[in-house]
Amino acid sequence: MAGNTARIMRRNAPEVAVDWQAVLRHMALSRALDAMEETRLVPEKKVLYQFSARGHDMAQILLGLRLDGRHDAVCGYYRSRPLLLSLGVDPEDALGSAMGRAGGYSDGRDIGVVFNHPNPNGATALPMCGGVGAQYTPTAGWAQALEFHARVLGSAEHGKSIAVVLGGDGSVASNGFWSALTMATTQRLPMLFYIEDNGFGISVASTMQTPGGNIAANLASWRGLKIFAGDGTDPAEAVQLTADAVAYVREERAPAMLRLTVPRLQGHSFQDTQAYKSEKLVQAERARDPWDKLKAFLVPSRMTAAEWDEMVQTAAETAEAARFAAEARPVAEPTTVLRHVFDDGEMQQMGGLRPAGWEPPPMSDTPRPEGQRLNMVTAIRRVLEQELASNPRMVVFGEDVGPKGGVHAVTLGLQDKFGGERVFDTSLSEEGIIGRAVGMALAGLLPVPEIQFRKYSEPATEQLNDCGSMRWRTNNRFAAPMVVRMPVGFFKCGDPWHSQTNEVAFIHSPGWKVAAPSNAEDAVGLLRSALRGNDPVIFLEHRAMLDHPWARRPWPGDDYGLPFGKARLVAEGRGATLVTWGGMVDRCLEAANGLSVDVIDLRTLMPWDRAAVLASVARTHRCLIVHEDLQTAGFGAEIAAVVASEAFTALDAPVERLTMPDIPSPHNPAFLNWAVPSVAAIRAKLEDLMGF
């Protein structure tokens, strides 16, 4: 290959230093565990998901033994157990996790092939995901965090560490791969893309994933990317390529790709019979088994046959002891699965600011109004500015948030004040924005990404869901606290692309807190609490309220912070309870004028203040829920179900909802004004309910 590509076999070069006994020890153990699962544990239904690493194993181990930086991190995928073993993961944990037993990677919550390995004093295995390609952008985020720690915070250790991501040839077709590649090369990040090319993504040939089936050849002229490529089954070639690729990233602080061809000697998973492969191909793959090549390479030049046999036998015994210990582990108490959805007071091992000892400054939920009334834009910007000034690990980023100051001007001037390392623009990839934020949070930063409009978050759905579930699925080993700012809703007009709310999707994603302030004071309190919290937060900024006169409030104080899950009673009465949030609060207040009605602004939707709503309904005996989102499966349905279930005997009328019809947001203002609940429509609905 030409240009920036290297297929390295330097016959006269000094031999790369590597502990070949360690390579054999880990590889023999990996093979013993695979064989045990396939011949015993899967047939006995003690392991439900099994992915053999045979063929991939030697090259992974050679990589793992090179990850010795103080803050090195690697993110693999479901075929990465050999790498984990080389990093020091206990085989008892590996088997126990595969069997869904207590302890291990997830306490039985996640499939055992989805690894994680918190290691504050060495190479960390970032939480893996079940989705193909989901590992790339969080790894890029870790790489960018390494540079931030080194250049901005002055940590020499971070300046010597690297980020490594493993992926198969099928994953190079994913959005995450291309987004991470763009990030790594445009930002010159210390990130190694390690591609294990076995020629198939389940049954689909690699030629369907990338033209010609060779991603290294296709990227040979990709600017800013050094490429290493060769045979991952040849010990001498694989060790040289791996050593050179890791050294390049570590020393040059620049990205590289290492593509190694390997055979997949078993099916994609245990259930896969590989019927799509010809017998000739299967035999050709077996002839490339790195196990046989490693033995020929080591025996007799580096060890005797007896030493080889002894190490293989020891590995078998280690595997059997691990199986015995793993089977002795109990299944966790089922009720424990309710723990660790959110921060519950027990500190995660890695991720966010708090494991390193950071404590948030004290806050008060008592406002101390001062100065003139501010709109929401100014209030939010002021909070961001104050928190950036007080927290050197906070970073703000997204599309157009830098010199432009965001399409809604919320971040205007912040880059000038804090610099391009802390407030910066990104490529137009929401997958990359949120995935990057995940990696940064795992590396001990506080990311505050902006998604320009609610609809634009959809390419990032996988990263958002994976981030929210991280604390739970790793049993509190990892968490990725961040605050995702996101404008929502209509403005002077609507349309299907910029005017959605659809907040219910985030509420339905476990692990995310969701704020929906209606005014500047609440925006200050909720945003400050989010930025000083220990959970990921979706912070919804309603476009119509950003400069709405009603939403303007005096500055409530530099320490003002609101708890999540505490609604505000903005009007009091006895005739009905009106529940709302965000862009509908001012309309509901106007509609209720002159009527005896409780108007409740929920302020946060996850958690939401059930107690306040139920207490109000107990007094008023009627309930109307008003929101901008669609009616079918909107969040109002959840509130209505709770009221109907828990306040049934207090009700004197059916629980009612007033919402948008089940249509996309229309563009023409006349259409929009007809579709969005109006003051007149809310008033009419209230009067009907109160007269029931």
Side-chain angles (χ1 to χ4, degrees):
M1 296 176 190
N4 60 350
T5 305
R7 180 183 177 100
I8 299 176
M9 267 308 297
R10 300 189 304 224
R11 298 295 181 186
N12 298 322
E15 184 174 321
V16 175
V18 63
D19 184 347
W20 288 107
Q21 287 200 346
V23 174
L24 174 57
R25 182 171 64 252
H26 295 310
M27 190 173 178
L29 178 57
S30 176
R31 296 247 165 162
L33 294 175
D34 278 343
M36 178 183 293
E37 288 175 337
E38 291 161 1
T39 61
R40 298 167 59 184
L41 299 180
V42 173
E44 293 170 4
K45 293 184 171 49
K46 294 177 179 176
V47 168
L48 303 179
Y49 280 88
Q50 198 273 342
F51 293 81
S52 172
R54 278 199 291 273
H56 292 236
D57 37 14
M58 184 190 72
Q60 282 188 22
I61 291 163
L62 291 172
L63 172 66
L65 294 176
R66 294 275 159 197
L67 301 182
D68 54 6
R70 171 72 169 75
H71 298 285
D72 284 355
V74 58
C75 196
Y77 64 114
Y78 43 78
R79 216 178 300 285
S80 299
R81 184 163 64 190
L83 172 80
L84 272 292
L85 294 174
S86 71
L87 295 182
V89 167
D90 190 333
E92 180 187 333
D93 270 353
L95 271 185
S97 297
M99 298 168 72
R101 300 303 177 93
Y105 315 130
S106 72
D107 210 39
R109 298 163 181 232
D110 205 347
I111 56 177
V113 296
V114 179
F115 300 87
N116 65 77
H117 179 53
N119 187 11
N121 298 308
T124 289
L126 303 180
M128 301 177 190
C129 302
V132 172
Q135 67 269 35
Y136 286 105
T137 53
T139 309
W142 183 283
Q144 186 168 352
L146 290 176
E147 295 299 275
F148 185 92
H149 278 285
R151 293 199 301 254
V152 179
L153 301 178
S155 169
E157 287 183 334
H158 286 82
K160 298 176 183 177
S161 297
I162 66 173
V164 180
V165 62
L166 277 68
D169 52 281
S171 70
V172 304
S174 69
N175 292 341
F177 172 81
W178 292 101
S179 180
L181 187 64
T182 299
M183 279 192 278
T185 51
T186 59
Q187 304 301 309
R188 192 178 171 88
L189 300 179
M191 177 174 176
L192 177 61
F193 293 79
Y194 178 93
I195 305 300
E196 305 171 80
D197 193 338
N198 63 34
F200 285 89
I202 306 185
S203 66
V204 179
S206 59
T207 51
M208 297 293 289
Q209 315 294 346
T210 190
N214 186 339
I215 190 64
N218 293 337
L219 293 175
S221 60
W222 188 280
R223 198 169 212 175
L225 182 71
K226 181 75 170 178
I227 295 182
F228 302 83
D231 185 352
T233 70
D234 182 291
E237 183 171 355
V239 73
Q240 182 74 67
L241 284 166
T242 303
D244 286 351
V246 170
Y248 175 84
V249 177
R250 202 179 294 283
E251 295 164 12
E252 298 297 324
R253 315 306 297 161
M257 172 180 287
L258 172 58
R259 173 190 177 255
L260 296 177
T261 55
V262 294
R264 193 186 71 198
L265 299 177
Q266 292 294 120
H268 167 73
S269 63
F270 179 81
Q271 292 80 8
D272 179 14
T273 63
Q274 301 199 92
Y276 45 85
K277 290 183 179 180
S278 68
E279 183 60 29
K280 181 180 179 181
L281 177 57
V282 170
Q283 293 303 321
E285 288 181 326
R286 289 175 182 167
R288 297 181 60 227
D289 189 344
W291 178 260
D292 300 329
K293 293 186 179 184
L294 181 64
K295 185 171 185 178
F297 181 75
L298 295 181
V299 178
S301 61
R302 290 168 175 80
M303 65 175 60
T304 66
E307 289 172 326
W308 171 281
D309 291 341
E310 182 180 357
M311 292 188 69
V312 172
Q313 179 60 33
T314 299
E317 293 169 357
T318 300
E320 186 61 25
R323 181 202 62 79
F324 183 81
E327 290 207 53
R329 291 183 174 186
V331 174
E333 167 58 43
T335 58
T336 62
V337 299
L338 298 177
R339 298 185 60 204
H340 304 317
V341 176
F342 297 105
D343 174 21
D344 55 11
E346 180 183 332
M347 190 58 59
Q348 66 268 19
Q349 294 181 44
M350 288 190 71
L353 304 178
R354 298 196 184 188
W358 181 83
E359 290 291 335
M363 294 180 291
S364 169
D365 62 1
T366 302
R368 294 190 298 276
E370 59 183 64
Q372 64 184 8
R373 286 157 52 91
L374 307 175
N375 65 13
M376 281 183 66
V377 167
T378 305
I380 292 169
R381 185 191 304 130
R382 188 166 170 180
V383 175
L384 292 173
E385 183 176 350
Q386 289 183 334
E387 296 301 308
L388 280 164
S390 66
N391 184 352
R393 294 191 177 193
M394 176 175 157
V395 288
V396 175
F397 54 91
E399 298 164 11
D400 301 310
V401 305
K404 180 178 175 62
V407 296
H408 299 94
V410 174
T411 58
L412 191 65
L414 294 182
Q415 188 179 82
D416 290 339
K417 184 164 187 176
F418 296 99
E421 295 271 15
R422 301 196 58 203
V423 181
F424 55 88
D425 290 327
T426 68
S427 54
L428 273 65
S429 168
E430 285 74 24
E431 148 85 31
I433 290 171
I434 301 302
R436 175 197 322 238
V438 170
M440 288 180 145
L442 290 171
L445 302 183
L446 172 57
V448 186
E450 177 183 299
I451 300 295
Q452 279 190 347
F453 298 95
R454 165 67 183 89
K455 181 75 168 61
Y456 294 1
S457 70
E458 290 176 4
T461 297
E462 182 172 45
Q463 292 298 335
L464 288 165
N465 290 340
D466 290 348
C467 176
S469 67
M470 183 180 295
R471 185 190 297 275
W472 181 87
R473 60 187 164 86
T474 66
N475 196 33
N476 209 37
R477 286 157 68 115
F478 287 90
M482 67 178 71
V483 179
V484 181
R485 295 180 38 253
M486 193 180 307
V488 299
F490 69 90
F491 187 34
K492 295 177 181 178
C493 61
D495 67 74
W497 318 111
H498 302 86
S499 303
Q500 283 192 15
T501 54
N502 194 19
E503 60 272 333
V504 73
F506 303 122
I507 300 165
H508 205 67
S509 180
W512 283 99
K513 291 185 173 180
V514 180
S518 66
N519 61 80
E521 180 182 295
D522 287 354
V524 168
L526 293 172
L527 182 56
R528 180 170 286 117
S529 292
L531 293 171
R532 296 183 182 182
N534 194 33
D535 285 302
V537 175
I538 301 289
F539 190 82
L540 303 177
E541 301 169 3
H542 199 286
R543 297 167 64 215
M545 310 311 290
L546 288 175
D547 192 34
H548 195 292
W550 176 87
R552 296 172 187 172
R553 299 287 190 277
W555 180 251
D558 291 345
D559 63 349
Y560 184 60
L562 282 173
F564 276 56
K566 185 68 174 176
R568 184 194 293 271
L569 186 63
V570 293
E572 293 187 61
R574 305 291 298 183
T577 297
L578 202 167
V579 183
T580 189
W581 58 88
M584 292 289 102
V585 176
D586 71 309
R587 295 188 177 201
C588 288
L589 271 174
E590 186 177 347
N593 186 38
L595 300 177
S596 181
V597 174
D598 273 2
V599 179
I600 296 176
D601 180 356
L602 285 181
R603 303 198 287 196
T604 67
L605 305 180
M606 178 54 72
W608 65 283
D609 195 343
R610 299 159 61 108
V613 172
L614 292 172
S616 175
V617 172
R619 293 194 315 273
T620 69
H621 311 295
R622 289 170 173 81
C623 183
L624 170 63
I625 303 148
V626 177
H627 62 69
E628 181 183 342
D629 195 13
L630 313 186
Q631 182 170 99
T632 302
F635 190 58
E638 171 65 19
I639 300 170
V642 169
V643 172
S645 173
E646 299 185 29
F648 179 76
T649 57
L651 289 171
D652 289 340
V655 180
E656 295 284 359
R657 290 174 289 160
L658 183 63
T659 72
M660 278 263 290
D662 291 343
I663 59 172
S665 180
H667 179 55
N668 187 292
F671 297 165
L672 178 72
N673 292 333
W674 178 86
V676 174
S678 65
V679 172
I682 298 168
R683 177 81 174 202
K685 194 75 169 178
L686 265 177
E687 290 175 341
D688 285 347
L689 179 64
M690 295 173 72
F692 183 87

